[in-house]
Amino acid sequence: MRTIAEINEKIRKGQAVVVTAEEVIEVVRSKGIERAAREIDVVTTGTFGPMCSSGVFLNLGHSKPRIKLGGGTAYLNGVPAYTGLAAVDVYLGATALPDDDPRNHDHPGDFAYGGGHVIEELVAGKEVHFVGTAYGTDCYPRRRIETTIRLQEINEAILFNPRNAYQNYNVAVNLSDRTIYTYMGVLKPRLGNANYCSAGQLSPLLNDPHYEAIGIGTRIFLGGGIGYIAWWGTQHNPSVPRKDGLPKRPAGTLAVIGDLKGMSPEWLRGVSMWGYGVSLAVGIGVPIPILSEEILRYTAVSDDEIFAPVVDYSRAYPEREPEVLGEVSYAELRSGRIRVMGKEVPTGALSSYAKAGEIAQVLKGWIQRGEFFLTEAVAPIPGEEAGISFKPLDEKGGH
Amino acid sequence: MQVSRRIVLHFPASLTGQPIVYRLARDYGLEFNIIKASVSPEEEGLMVLEVRGDEQGVEAGMKYLSEKGVMIEPFSQRVVLREERCIHCGLCVGLCPVGAFRMEPDTYYIRFEEERCLACGLCIKACPPRAMEVGL
């Protein structure tokens, strides 16, 4: 139908036809698949929600005299970063907490500040307090350093998130008699509320369910800047049950990478999950090149066709039981109420549909203005045919 | 007759160095609880007080404060939305016991309807980007 090179040529000439994954639904309804596929070059997607498997590699630069943080410690605004790398490379993870944070000893636990918040402050250009300790060697004699850093003053700052953009997700409820505090938010007892976390019809991998249009090397919107799909994400699980190609359970994931210096605090936001921990809300937008009618047909998916499993987070989830209480569509979830076990339950979302739509619009604008070109995937993301199984960790006896 | 009132006092910068609240106790026989205060020298100050005493004493105390140039407002605790922190996720929508948040049906932006809010504070802790706070 068309190649990515041809799409890029149209982008260069300012002629590419770009619509968002929300807009394409209406286009296909009015024009039909065939005509819509002829006319549309790119469909843009978006998602913006807490994504815990996120973090940033920082190269802090060499002090005089030098210090080797590897094997020592590094703290940024009191939050520990991983130092098991070369002298001044560290990795600051989104869920890291200060050593002296009370966590949930002070039940349920506030979790006011952590790695995600430091990343937000770095990308906002704010000064960040840095303390490093080391054991000192002949070539790196220094044992302690305390100073401040800013994003623009350090060498590299590479956002590298091993698992983002989940393809579908659980709807969390609580069947127990007490309030529980989870990564899916506060869940009131006896089905008091239900929380979900997907942009549904706007979500990147729900618009390319078999990973045919995107792959490793695909250029994306990441945190307000440019990023790339680096690999499939951890826990990537394409083998879940599907209906019309769409996974009915949490399925594929993406590992993404990009230059933090080009990103914005509007799209990388530190978040606190009450009674659970801290995280980072990440904005991601993936362009889907319309290379075939089939690819276009999948981008036209709407919220009433995507189903998510309802899971009890008071027992089934923590006990790793496979039990699902039912399936509900994203149209039902977004209506504000779903029915679970005969009861009407109010819904809340962790993933921002409004912001996902903004991301799809921003990416569309970049492409229309010739500021963003598509890339060919250099290797595919494994699909159902790869036979990937989702492995549990079962403890072996005798230890 | 004993009365109790919750009030918000706005101090002009010229008064923040003076022991005004102390005089409410000494000269008007009032008891008070400071609920919230933000007073620093040479800046405008704000104080939320619960004042208890006999009705005449409370009235006289309020008159004294007005004469000194302190602006008095009745206190009603409220929760406010810091728009710049809100990411419009909508976690608050299903959680709020009185339905003070709603997702706009067409745009999916979250709106906080303050007039419905009972200031229970549940959303303050539960909001992931911490966009809700106690307002004065």
Side-chain angles (χ1 to χ4, degrees), chain A residues 48 110 112 120 186 188 193 195 269-274 334 346-355 358, chain B residues 84-97 103 106-109 122 125-130:
Chain A
F48 186 53
D110 197 31
E120 180 186 332
V186 184
K188 295 194 235 179
N193 58 330
N195 289 339
R269 191 67 73 83
V271 293
S272 302
M273 302 310 297
W274 189 21
R334 251 179 270 290
T347 59
L350 280 98
S351 179
S352 174
Y353 187 85
K355 291 283 171 186
E358 285 184 30
Chain B
E84 75 283 3
R85 286 296 304 170
C86 178
I87 59 172
H88 298 274
C89 62
L91 191 68
C92 48
V93 175
L95 194 65
C96 177
M103 192 182 266
D106 297 329
T107 64
Y108 299 101
Y109 285 96
L122 189 57
K125 295 276 194 187
C127 172
R130 298 283 154 95

Side-chain angles (χ1 to χ4, degrees), chain A residues 77-102:
Chain A
N77 281 353
V79 178
Y82 179 74
T83 58
L85 299 163
V88 293
D89 284 336
V90 301
Y91 185 79
L92 175 65
T95 67
L97 291 168
D99 293 343
D100 60 0
D101 186 282

Side-chain angles (χ1 to χ4, degrees), chain A residues 134-216:
Chain A
Y135 49 85
T137 69
D138 289 338
C139 46
Y140 289 89
R142 194 149 173 181
R143 294 193 173 175
R144 190 173 192 283
I145 186 165
E146 179 165 359
T147 183
T148 60
I149 60 161
R150 279 179 197 275
L151 183 62
Q152 296 307 329
E153 295 165 358
I154 62 174
N155 290 314
E156 289 76 21
I158 307 159
L159 188 76
F160 182 36
N161 305 343
R163 182 168 77 254
N164 281 180
Y166 238 116
Q167 186 181 27
N168 209 349
Y169 211 74
N170 294 339
V171 179
V173 296
N174 174 10
L175 295 183
S176 79
D177 292 329
R178 63 177 185 95
T179 298
I180 60 172
Y181 302 85
T182 76
Y183 72 90
M184 292 294 284
V186 184
L187 298 170
K188 295 194 235 179
R190 296 175 292 277
L191 292 168
N193 58 330
N195 289 339
Y196 63 101
C197 189
S198 172
Q201 63 191 15
L202 270 170
S203 181
L205 292 179
L206 288 171
N207 280 279
D208 183 18
H210 303 296
Y211 332 112
E212 291 166 320
I214 64 171
I216 295 165

Side-chain angles (χ1 to χ4, degrees), chain B residues 53-128:
Chain B
D54 69 66
E55 199 168 2
Q56 277 180 327
V58 170
E59 286 305 328
M62 296 305 106
K63 188 157 173 264
Y64 159 73
L65 290 173
S66 300
E67 281 167 3
K68 283 299 239 178
V70 177
M71 196 175 87
I72 307 167
E73 284 178 335
F75 173 72
S76 56
Q77 180 166 317
R78 60 195 201 103
V79 172
V80 295
L81 168 67
R82 289 155 68 205
E83 189 63 51
E84 75 283 3
R85 286 296 304 170
C86 178
I87 59 172
H88 298 274
C89 62
L91 191 68
C92 48
V93 175
L95 194 65
C96 177
V98 295
F101 298 91
R102 64 186 171 84
M103 192 182 266
E104 290 205 334
D106 297 329
T107 64
Y108 299 101
Y109 285 96
I110 307 304
R111 298 293 171 229
F112 174 48
E113 293 171 337
E114 205 191 312
E115 59 283 4
R116 306 182 79 150
C117 171
L118 295 184
C120 72
L122 189 57
C123 57
I124 294 174
K125 295 276 194 187
C127 172

Side-chain angles (χ1 to χ4, degrees), chain A residues 285-302:
Chain A
V286 177
I288 312 279
I290 304 306
L291 307 174
S292 69
E293 273 180 27
E294 196 203 0
I295 288 172
L296 187 273
R297 186 168 63 78
Y298 279 122
T299 65
V301 69
S302 60

